[in-house]
Amino acid sequence: MSRRHRPRKLAASLSALAATALFVAAVPAAAHDGAGHPDEAAEAATLGAGHAQEHAKIRAAAQALGGYSQLARIESLNDLTRSQELANSKFHPKTYGQFADYFPSPDFAAHIAMLPTGKVLLFSFERVETDPTEEPAPTNTLGPENAGRAFLWDPGKGTGSDAFTKVTPPELVVPDGTDVKRPAPFFCAGHAFLPNGMLGVFGGNLGYGGGAGAKLSLVFDPWTESWAVNKDMAVGRWYPSVATAPDGRLLIMSGHTEQGWGTSTSVVERFPAKSHPVPFEKTLIPRDVPTDTLRVDAPFGEDSDYPHLFTLRDGKVYGLGRHAARQWAFDPVAETRTDLPARPDGIHRGYGSAVPLPAGFRGPDSVLILGGDRDDPNTYKLSGGVWEKEHPRAFGRTQDNTLLLPDASLLTVNGAYGIRDYGNGDYNPKSDLKYRQIETRNALGEWRLGPVQRLPRGYHANSVVLPDGRVLVTGDELQQLANDPKIDDEMNGSIEIFEPAYLHQGARPRLDQVPAGPIGYDSRFRVSTSTPGQVKKAVLLAPTTATHAVNTSQRHLELRIVHRQGNTLALQAPPSANDAPPGHYMLFLLDEKGVPSTAKFVSLR
């Protein structure tokens, strides 16, 4: 969460107002009206006209700084809607795709997960502020106000409020000295999927020290839609990253400890501990299960919080830090660390995205790093231990989210100039139009700008690919608060739906049936389709979970179509768990234009 990045002008103004408040309070009570504000005429009689006028200016400034009118929110959203319509009139959906829907959500979605049930988990924090020029998260708030919250969105139920279900995290006491229970404050945690489709969530916020890490270890079970609490980690973590290793265990790295104030941990933990089984079955819900500590450390440091972690086809977990020199490969079996060359840009890339690039029928063996620097549009590929500069995007941006799509193209949504800066200064809700514009990357690695999303979305923005091939875009609590047409209801977030160009190329192929049980590696399995003549490719796309521009679960593999008979296709599963870690995947069938079917979930084991 933000380290309370407050604009200097705002902080200075509030300090001046606080200093003046003591003097204003000394005005006789008779000089105040029934609303509790000094009556200007009485104040002028007491203080003199000039002095009273200065006080009136100070009160007006305080009101402007400390509040954000509902009219401003409505006008802002209307302006964004109009500018989106005008900008997107130039982009034909068949070529560029389109933003097709926008609707309210009950959560800010600083964290997101595409679950194997087809529902989307949105989770974040209970706000402590509704003014978008202030920090709404309880990063430095002790007690019950420092609490987490979570909701499920069911796309099958549409876009109304009844499509959302609250799934409150467990109530517990965190070691903040208040001894008060509250829903687990898991925001700014890290997360990844277990093989049984459950989501492991690790770390969170203790409410002090500019971000002190909680030792929380939780699991969300999508099958029962409930949370389970596990044994605390060995160390607190705020801003950690988590990745699924080939054996299905989760590796947890980085983050600030319970000491706060930027105290980072180099300890690597594993969940579940090796003394406990990996949960492959839906009925095996980890409860009170411990982590254990690996022999190897991961010294990312404060300037490499939320490192990008990816399991590549050699079975190693690649830890790509934000600092150019902090790049490593971890062997989860030998528990060793290998140095990788420093990223050639030589700069710190904060809150940019990274994607393991598709490699056909095998698991990925290269990663593309992009974003995280507002002045550098270049992208950098790590392959075989060597860095190469790739095609640049149109401009530099931070807070961007880049997704693998079913047709193996890349899509960038969201972005900003800085952590709370959309191009017009810190905590200013106004945004440069370019940060609302998507970019796509084709098979040649070339980037192209496309349509504009409704809201600017930077810090804490998120996105996932849905099973029907659409893209859900959400997140950024400041922009959601600044553009909420009804701030006094329970729907203070918002979701946008983007339809990639492949959904405007004609009829989709159909995927009718897939195996109900787990699929073994390097085995053949059958699926049925009522449009066999349309099917040219079969693809596995991992459902993803993301936060803070980090998405460790992305993966795209093509499956060999080894036999066709009528409406039945025989497909070849990935060769090994190194190619695709065990778990649930979305299976798409694609036609020759790259138009995907609606996916069905299959599990690899």
Side-chain angles (χ1 to χ4, degrees):
M1 197 61 54
S2 167
R3 296 172 177 82
R4 298 194 69 81
H5 301 273
R6 179 187 290 256
R8 292 175 184 171
K9 182 178 179 182
L10 175 61
S13 301
L14 290 177
S15 297
L17 292 168
T20 308
L22 295 175
F23 186 82
V24 174
V27 176
H32 289 71
D33 61 21
H37 300 292
D39 177 82
E40 291 186 11
E43 192 176 63
T46 305
L47 302 176
H51 204 163
Q53 189 175 20
E54 287 301 314
H55 279 203
K57 289 180 180 178
I58 290 171
R59 286 194 299 274
Q63 185 174 7
L65 291 169
Y68 199 81
S69 76
Q70 188 57 52
L71 180 60
R73 301 177 207 274
I74 293 171
E75 288 183 343
S76 176
L77 182 60
N78 288 340
D79 285 345
L80 292 172
T81 302
R82 286 191 292 268
S83 63
Q84 181 190 34
E85 291 174 351
L86 178 62
N88 290 350
S89 64
K90 306 170 186 176
F91 295 100
H92 194 284
K94 189 173 182 179
T95 303
Y96 296 95
Q98 70 175 7
F99 281 93
D101 214 343
Y102 179 94
F103 54 95
S105 161
D107 195 66
F108 297 133
H111 303 261
I112 194 169
M114 179 69 244
L115 302 174
T117 57
K119 298 180 182 180
V120 181
L121 179 66
L122 313 167
F123 58 111
S124 61
F125 51 84
E126 294 290 352
R127 71 183 189 219
V128 294
E129 176 63 65
T130 61
D131 186 337
T133 65
E134 297 286 343
E135 179 58 60
T139 304
N140 286 311
T141 302
L142 296 176
E145 285 187 295
N146 175 30
R149 67 182 186 186
F151 294 83
L152 287 172
W153 175 51
D154 184 350
K157 291 185 177 180
T159 60
S161 59
D162 60 349
F164 295 90
T165 302
K166 194 169 188 176
V167 283
T168 303
E171 290 204 349
L172 43 78
V173 174
V174 299
D176 63 356
T178 65
D179 198 36
V180 178
K181 279 189 173 183
R182 86 293 305 273
F186 49 26
F187 60 95
C188 296
H191 26 92
F193 285 109
L194 291 161
N196 63 357
M198 297 179 188
L199 185 72
V201 178
F202 304 93
N205 173 60
L206 292 179
Y208 60 82
K215 296 181 179 180
L216 293 171
S217 174
L218 306 173
V219 166
F220 183 76
D221 177 3
W223 315 111
T224 63
E225 299 183 351
S226 62
W227 293 90
V229 181
N230 288 282
K231 290 186 182 298
D232 281 353
M233 293 184 293
V235 63
R237 297 181 188 270
W238 187 72
Y239 281 48
S241 292
V242 188
T244 308
D247 66 354
R249 298 183 194 273
L250 307 183
L251 295 189
I252 310 158
M253 302 186 197
S254 193
H256 294 181
T257 73
E258 60 271 27
Q259 297 179 48
W261 309 114
T263 306
S264 299
T265 179
S266 61
V267 174
V268 180
E269 295 185 66
R270 173 174 46 206
F271 181 85
K274 291 199 78 174
S275 58
H276 285 66
V278 175
F280 288 98
E281 303 294 340
K282 296 178 182 179
T283 54
L284 185 56
I285 306 171
R287 296 182 190 276
D288 207 30
V289 172
T291 61
D292 61 6
T293 302
L294 271 66
R295 293 191 299 270
V296 66
D297 66 349
F300 284 105
E302 178 188 2
D303 57 356
S304 282
D305 295 334
Y306 274 132
H308 295 290
L309 303 181
F310 296 107
T311 300
L312 299 188
R313 80 162 68 147
D314 60 5
K316 295 179 181 178
V317 176
Y318 284 72
L320 307 179
R322 301 179 185 277
H323 190 288
R326 292 179 174 145
Q327 316 292 319
W328 295 296
F330 299 87
D331 187 325
V333 178
E335 300 186 21
T336 57
R337 185 185 78 232
T338 302
D339 293 343
L340 296 172
R343 199 174 55 241
D345 55 359
I347 60 175
H348 176 271
R349 304 186 80 87
Y351 304 110
S353 50
V355 178
L357 293 173
F361 301 112
R362 296 294 309 276
D365 59 1
S366 62
V367 175
L368 189 70
I369 299 290
L370 60 170
D373 184 87
R374 61 196 185 190
D375 299 317
D376 185 3
N378 291 303
T379 65
Y380 298 87
K381 182 173 76 170
L382 176 68
S383 179
V386 177
W387 288 97
E388 298 176 43
K389 184 185 289 188
E390 295 283 295
H391 289 287
R393 292 189 292 188
F395 52 86
R397 62 171 108 187
T398 69
Q399 331 298 324
D400 56 294
N401 306 131
T402 301
L403 291 171
L404 273 167
L405 298 183
D407 65 352
S409 64
L410 301 185
L411 167 71
T412 291
V413 295
N414 302 324
Y417 183 71
I419 286 187
R420 296 296 197 191
D421 187 345
Y422 308 89
N424 292 278
D426 285 341
Y427 286 79
N428 185 338
K430 301 295 183 183
S431 172
D432 287 350
L433 183 72
K434 69 180 185 180
Y435 295 116
R436 297 161 55 198
Q437 195 168 9
I438 72 160
E439 287 187 75
T440 55
R441 180 183 186 267
N442 63 19
L444 299 176
E446 301 164 333
W447 291 91
R448 180 175 66 181
L449 287 168
V452 169
Q453 57 198 70
R454 180 82 49 95
L455 260 60
R457 297 181 190 266
Y459 196 46
H460 297 162
N462 276 310
S463 59
V464 293
V465 179
L466 299 173
D468 60 10
R470 298 179 301 161
V471 176
L472 179 156
V473 182
T474 186
D476 190 332
E477 61 275 8
L478 292 190
Q479 287 297 334
Q480 290 174 108
L481 290 172
N483 295 282
D484 186 350
K486 194 174 181 182
I487 195 66
D488 57 353
D489 66 8
E490 296 298 317
M491 304 290 278
N492 295 147
S494 60
I495 289 173
E496 305 180 51
I497 300 295
F498 178 69
E499 296 175 348
Y502 54 57
L503 294 181
H504 296 269
Q505 306 298 319
R508 296 171 179 258
R510 292 183 58 87
L511 174 59
D512 299 317
Q513 194 169 12
V514 298
I519 297 167
Y521 290 104
D522 206 27
S523 67
R524 293 186 180 185
F525 64 98
R526 299 180 185 279
V527 301
S528 63
T529 170
S530 53
T531 59
Q534 281 185 260
V535 178
K536 301 302 178 185
K537 285 186 179 180
V539 161
L540 289 182
L541 191 71
T544 63
T545 179
T547 186
H548 290 74
V550 174
N551 187 331
T552 69
S553 52
Q554 293 206 73
R555 211 171 199 86
H556 180 288
L557 291 98
E558 190 175 340
L559 302 178
R560 297 184 191 278
I561 302 176
V562 294
H563 185 68
R564 296 173 181 263
Q565 184 174 4
N567 289 351
T568 301
L569 304 177
L571 306 179
Q572 185 81 19
S576 72
N578 288 354
D579 295 281
H584 289 73
Y585 290 79
M586 295 185 288
L587 173 58
F588 291 93
L589 300 180
L590 282 70
D591 70 10
E592 61 183 0
K593 296 179 181 179
V595 178
S597 67
T598 296
K600 292 186 181 296
F601 282 92
V602 297
S603 64
L604 295 179
R605 184 154 162 188

